[in-house]
Amino acid sequence: MADSNFIDYVKILCRSGKGGAGSRHFHRAKYVPKGGPDGGDGGRGGHIILKGNRHMWTLLPLRYQRHVFATDGQSGGAGRSFGKDGEDRIIEVPVGTAVFDAETGAYICEITEDGQEIKLLRGGKGGLGNWHFATSTNRAPRYAQPGQPAIEKAVVLELKLLGDVGLVGFPNAGKSTLLSAISAAKPKIGDYPFTTMEPSLGIVNYRGDKSFVMADIPGIIEGASEGKGLGLRFLRHIERNAVLLFMIPADSDDIRRDYEILLKELREFNPDLADKSRVLAISKSDMLDDELREEMSKELPEGVSSVFISAVTGQGLTELKDLLWREINSEDNQVKSTMTHRDLDVRHRVEEEDEFIFHQDDDVEDELPLDDEAWENEFWDEEDQVNG
């Protein structure tokens, strides 16, 4: 995957801008011996904002931009002039990108719509100028608020393709062949395992002007949820699919056992996947006669709709599309439109990304931002510093 343009996992370092300090200026003018405090407020620091872009299909741009820093707010000036706000940094990502804390693996947020904006890191508030603190008993305050510090966080971005149907099966089960037969997608097809090295999407036309999106991922093998094979790397792409299409070839030794293995791997990767609607397709059925097909039907797993198909001859493809369309638009799927993201753990991480080392600046403040109440009570007092 190192040479592929399809990047679905990247680790970056983000830093919002710190707020500008409030001014401690006093008004000075001819014939105005005691003009009083007129220090302006500092500007806020820039935000780090995520924005969905439906024209993007990969996180590749972020692989070459590992540091995303917003600018700091400027200090306030004389005459109650406000400091300039820091510039926000907008990170454009494909729709379907989930964000996790790189240290703890905890889920943070997700971009699900084009143009959707989420404030990932808030810029620090600017400090208040000294004119805010003038009172009847303290007419010349020599202190002002400092700006709130910046927030720095390393995050992991995971792209999860948004498809209606996700293909699940062992290597060489005929998933790519099916996708190429019922859509305009041209996935790589070969007679060797793991022909598919990256996910692909295809739009399936259905009865006139209707359509749905089908997602193909690399084949899953037993133990994929523990890191074996390529399936673990791409299982995240079926987390947002409404329906899972299990594909098992007709020449399988035990279709029921293969189905249970695939279902077990999905449960161990993310338990929520077991609640999704499932359809079973027996591929390569052109090698079966009517008698053998009827005999195999008795051994199929219970509780799941099944259909015999052949992408080469077109057998059962219309019936398959009818079945998928009913499942996609069923009431159960409308209720289960939301999903719970599993947190990242050792098995779900990409090793080469996790080992990436950030070279941070030495002058970066390593502290947590103050909450609003604590920050409002923390002042920079000139007299205290002078007196030690």
Side-chain angles (χ1 to χ4, degrees), residues 364-384:
V364 175
E365 298 179 5
D366 187 16
E367 58 178 314
L368 293 175
L370 300 173
D371 57 44
D372 291 344
E373 182 178 356
W375 170 73
E376 289 176 357
N377 293 326
E378 180 164 308
F379 303 122
W380 187 92
D381 191 288
E382 183 184 55
E383 293 181 353
D384 287 348

Side-chain angles (χ1 to χ4, degrees), residues 278-348:
R278 300 189 293 272
V279 174
L280 175 61
I282 311 302
S283 61
K284 306 178 184 179
S285 296
D286 52 305
M287 64 179 68
L288 304 175
D289 56 26
D290 293 340
E291 183 179 352
L292 186 55
R293 187 181 300 110
E294 183 178 351
E295 197 65 30
M296 290 180 62
S297 299
K298 301 177 182 178
E299 304 297 329
L300 295 180
E302 299 178 356
V304 57
S305 302
S306 59
V307 59
F308 289 87
I309 65 169
S310 172
V312 176
T313 65
Q315 171 193 338
L317 296 186
T318 301
E319 182 182 353
L320 174 64
K321 289 194 285 186
D322 288 340
L323 185 57
L324 292 175
W325 184 260
R326 287 198 300 269
E327 292 293 337
I328 292 171
N329 294 279
S330 67
E331 293 183 2
D332 290 340
N333 273 327
Q334 303 304 320
V335 173
K336 299 175 183 176
S337 58
T338 59
M339 65 166 290
T340 303
H341 292 270
R342 47 88 185 119
D343 291 340
L344 291 178
D345 59 23
V346 176
R347 299 174 303 164
H348 299 143

Side-chain angles (χ1 to χ4, degrees), residues 218-233 235 261-262 264-266 268-269 347-348:
I220 300 172
I221 63 174
E222 188 171 6
S225 60
E226 299 174 358
K228 296 180 181 179
L230 294 176
L232 175 65
R233 177 77 179 266
L235 279 173
I261 290 175
L262 292 171
K264 174 177 175 290
E265 296 302 327
L266 297 187
E268 292 185 357
F269 179 77
R347 299 174 303 164
H348 299 143

